[in-house]
Amino acid sequence: MLDAIGKSAKEQLRLQVLEGGSEDVWIEVIQKMDEVYTELIQSQTELEAKNASLEEAHAFIGSVLGAMTDILVACDADARIQQVNRALETISGRREHELLGMPVVEIFDAESKDAVSGFLHTIRAGGQVSECEVSLVGCGQQKALISVNCSPRRDHRGKLVGMVIVGRPVGELRRAYRELDVAHQKLTQTQQQLLVSEKMAALGRLVAGVAHELNNPISFVFGNMYALRRYGSAITQYLEACNSDMSRDELQVLRRELKIDKVLSDIAPLVEGTLEGAERVRDIVQDLRRFSSNQKETPESFNAVRLVQTAADWVVKAQRVKPEVRFKTPDTLEMTGLKGQLHQIIVNLVQNAADVLVDCQDPFIEISCAREGGEIVFRVADNGTGIPENRIDKIFEPFFTTKPIGTGTGLGLYVSYNMAMKQGGDLTVANRPEGGAEFTLRIPANDVAAD
Ligand SMILES: Nc1ncnc2c1ncn2[C@@H]1O[C@H](COP(=O)(O)OP(=O)(O)O)[C@@H](O)[C@H]1O
Ligand SMILES: [Mg+2]
């Protein structure tokens, strides 16, 4: 077009020059015009080339933005939307023309608005927003959870002119993971409750044994108190006689009759015995309280021998068919640990042994404890049926039980194993060559002797 106009103008000039005389001047003018014209053509060509590459760049950016699965929102310095990509249109369910100019917070749900309003502020303060989880209000008011990063947008002079938000929908997997996490938490809670109920069930089974245990000291406290009452009245009677006008000989006779000398020598051991009985009752109640408590225990020093004896007594005394219990222990064995938990483990092991021995000939349970290096090792063995090899790996699993519903929970060994592990110990099982099972519990002694 420019070319066509150029040619006809030049032709006209040449005609005018030929008509009007001084040819040289006109030739010069024409040459100048030619030059100007060439320059014009050149800059036009350049302009067209620049335009084409600009369009190409524009199309390229458009195609990149369109191909992005992440959402992109460019905002101005007032946090109004200036540019969006197709992913945002798809997720938000709004067209580009609806979104442009809108305050960016409006595309997010109410709970996310505060966080999004703070983005610009953070950026102005020189901060960064990364991996912030917010919800977009999507089509039909459905929410789309996205994880966004936000960076400052600057002009060619480096002045802050807005921000760019890039976000990735938190995928199905992540959502599923969260749901799984919640379910897991619920399961842990339920499991915790189950552990408590297992403990309470064990306690229920033990009550008869504990009652029997309490009965012994209580009955001898009673016996002693009756004797002390008798002794008291004899002494009172004798003292009253001393204050009367009885002769010395008469008093001697009365003293013999009332066995005052025996009474006086008996008082100290009787009081001692009564105190011992009361202390025993107190200890049993303390053990019971520790057993039933759900509170966190702190390590304490105690005699492991007494602990196994009490635990076994509680179980065996509650059994209808009482197996013989053989203790193979030193006289005392001091250790430091979680006494209540240890008691519970031994109770569980002895209870299992007693359960399996119900229909056995000459049932016995052999319980030993000894120091082996830095550990205290407890062994609970029985002459029951043993554990079939295909079950031996399963018995520590939660809910594994071979007992009828209502009898077994399948949690006893699971709980025991976990308690042993938490104390830095271990609980294992093996079948004895001569028949029956043997459980071995190893617990760090945690005391000076062990060091
Ligand atoms: N001494 C044992 N002899 C034979 N089997 C045992 C013995 N101790 C435990 N078991 C087996 O391990 C299973 C799991 O025991 P446990 O976790 O205490 O749960 P529960 O006693 O409620 O069944 C028992 O049901 C039983 O089959
Ligand atoms: Mg059990």
Side-chain angles (χ1 to χ4, degrees):
M1 171 81 170
L2 192 71
D3 212 24
I5 296 169
K7 266 184 190 156
S8 64
K10 272 197 291 181
E11 200 53 40
Q12 243 177 339
L13 259 171
R14 208 142 69 116
L15 289 175
Q16 280 171 8
V17 167
L18 291 176
E19 280 161 17
S22 173
E23 199 173 332
D24 286 350
V25 176
W26 283 109
I27 285 176
E28 205 177 308
V29 171
I30 288 167
Q31 272 173 349
K32 272 277 175 234
M33 276 189 67
D34 254 349
E35 275 168 28
V36 170
Y37 172 73
T38 311
E39 272 171 24
L40 206 65
I41 292 280
Q42 222 166 25
S43 64
Q44 168 70 13
T45 316
E46 273 169 22
L47 209 65
E48 275 174 13
K50 276 186 185 157
N51 214 14
S53 61
L54 207 65
E55 263 172 31
E56 218 168 89
H58 196 256
F60 176 75
I61 290 173
S63 73
V64 170
L65 292 185
M68 272 172 72
T69 49
D70 289 2
I71 63 143
L72 180 130
V73 191
C75 302
D76 64 15
D78 295 323
R80 285 181 181 276
I81 300 175
Q82 276 189 313
Q83 166 110 46
V84 296
N85 69 345
R86 204 174 306 137
L88 182 80
E89 288 183 289
T90 313
I91 292 180
S92 69
R94 299 189 219 204
R95 309 299 308 158
E96 184 179 12
H97 66 85
E98 296 173 65
L99 292 162
L100 298 186
M102 186 190 260
V104 71
V105 284
E106 306 225 327
I107 61 173
F108 293 94
D109 79 341
E111 285 95 69
S112 310
K113 280 194 163 67
D114 276 352
V116 178
S117 319
F119 285 179
L120 204 57
H121 183 73
T122 309
I123 279 170
R124 278 207 188 101
Q128 279 274 335
V129 177
S130 61
E131 311 266 316
C132 174
E133 281 187 12
V134 285
S135 292
L136 269 178
V137 181
C139 335
Q141 299 302 298
Q142 261 190 354
K143 288 179 189 175
L145 190 62
I146 49 173
S147 165
V148 296
N149 294 333
C150 178
S151 356
R153 199 163 64 78
R154 301 184 187 281
D155 67 8
H156 61 285
R157 285 189 299 273
K159 188 173 163 247
L160 185 75
V161 289
M163 60 178 175
V164 178
I165 301 174
V166 181
R168 174 165 295 183
V170 175
E172 267 309 303
L173 201 65
R174 185 104 166 258
R175 205 179 356 251
Y177 176 76
R178 274 163 184 263
E179 278 166 18
L180 203 68
D181 199 38
V182 172
H184 175 74
Q185 274 171 16
K186 276 194 189 145
L187 203 68
T188 317
Q189 252 170 18
T190 317
Q191 207 177 24
Q192 212 58 39
Q193 283 162 0
L194 272 170
L195 298 190
V196 174
S197 56
E198 154 66 19
K199 198 147 111 173
M200 289 304 144
L203 200 62
R205 286 195 296 268
L206 289 175
V207 163
V210 175
H212 197 281
E213 271 283 281
L214 282 172
N215 217 22
N216 260 343
I218 288 176
S219 51
F220 75 74
V221 165
F222 264 118
N224 288 0
M225 289 313 288
Y226 284 128
L228 282 170
R229 189 161 67 183
R230 269 199 328 274
Y231 289 0
S233 65
I235 291 169
T236 315
Q237 203 181 330
Y238 180 66
L239 286 178
E240 276 168 4
C242 286
N243 285 336
S244 70
D245 48 7
M246 263 185 156
S247 71
R248 228 183 135 72
D249 289 345
E250 280 172 330
L251 278 175
Q252 277 301 331
V253 173
L254 186 65
R255 188 176 176 125
R256 262 198 305 278
E257 269 174 16
L258 291 172
K259 298 186 182 132
I260 292 298
D261 293 315
K262 183 180 179 308
V263 165
L264 289 178
S265 65
D266 265 7
I267 285 180
L270 271 182
V271 169
E272 221 28 67
T274 310
L275 269 177
E276 211 177 288
E279 274 164 10
R280 182 86 194 101
V281 171
R282 182 199 59 199
D283 290 351
I284 294 170
V285 170
Q286 255 175 17
D287 284 347
L288 204 57
R289 191 181 289 156
R290 193 182 287 112
F291 189 92
S292 58
S293 157
N294 289 329
Q295 271 162 23
K296 233 179 156 210
E297 258 196 294
T298 46
E300 60 190 301
S301 295
F302 57 91
N303 176 4
V305 174
R306 201 181 91 67
L307 180 128
V308 291
Q309 283 170 348
T310 315
D313 277 356
W314 282 15
V315 175
V316 173
K317 294 222 169 94
Q319 286 315 106
R320 200 171 33 82
V321 184
K322 292 182 180 49
E324 179 198 342
V325 183
R326 301 172 187 167
F327 288 106
K328 286 196 166 172
T329 63
D331 290 343
T332 63
L333 184 54
E334 284 300 317
M335 66 175 287
T336 303
L338 303 179
K339 189 178 174 193
Q341 290 200 2
L342 215 55
H343 192 273
Q344 195 183 344
I345 300 175
I346 303 291
V347 161
N348 285 341
L349 297 180
V350 178
Q351 182 70 60
N352 281 345
D355 288 346
V356 83
L357 290 173
V358 168
D359 298 321
C360 280
Q361 280 276 314
D362 306 320
F364 73 80
I365 301 174
E366 194 174 278
I367 305 171
S368 68
C369 66
R371 176 185 295 280
E372 288 181 17
E375 289 177 327
I376 304 290
V377 182
F378 301 85
R379 289 195 171 85
V380 178
D382 60 66
N383 63 339
T385 53
I387 303 156
E389 285 304 325
N390 60 349
R391 267 190 217 151
I392 209 152
D393 292 337
K394 297 202 177 76
I395 60 167
F396 292 103
E397 287 175 10
F399 309 113
F400 178 83
T401 180
T402 52
K403 294 169 194 171
I405 297 170
T407 320
T409 58
L411 287 170
L413 288 178
Y414 170 72
V415 171
S416 302
Y417 178 79
N418 282 297
M419 287 195 292
M421 294 300 276
K422 276 197 190 133
Q423 293 184 48
D426 192 18
L427 177 63
T428 52
V429 64
N431 282 318
R432 298 184 333 135
E434 57 272 50
E438 181 176 86
F439 285 83
T440 306
L441 170 68
R442 295 173 179 278
I443 301 287
N446 289 328
D447 54 14
V448 187
D451 297 338

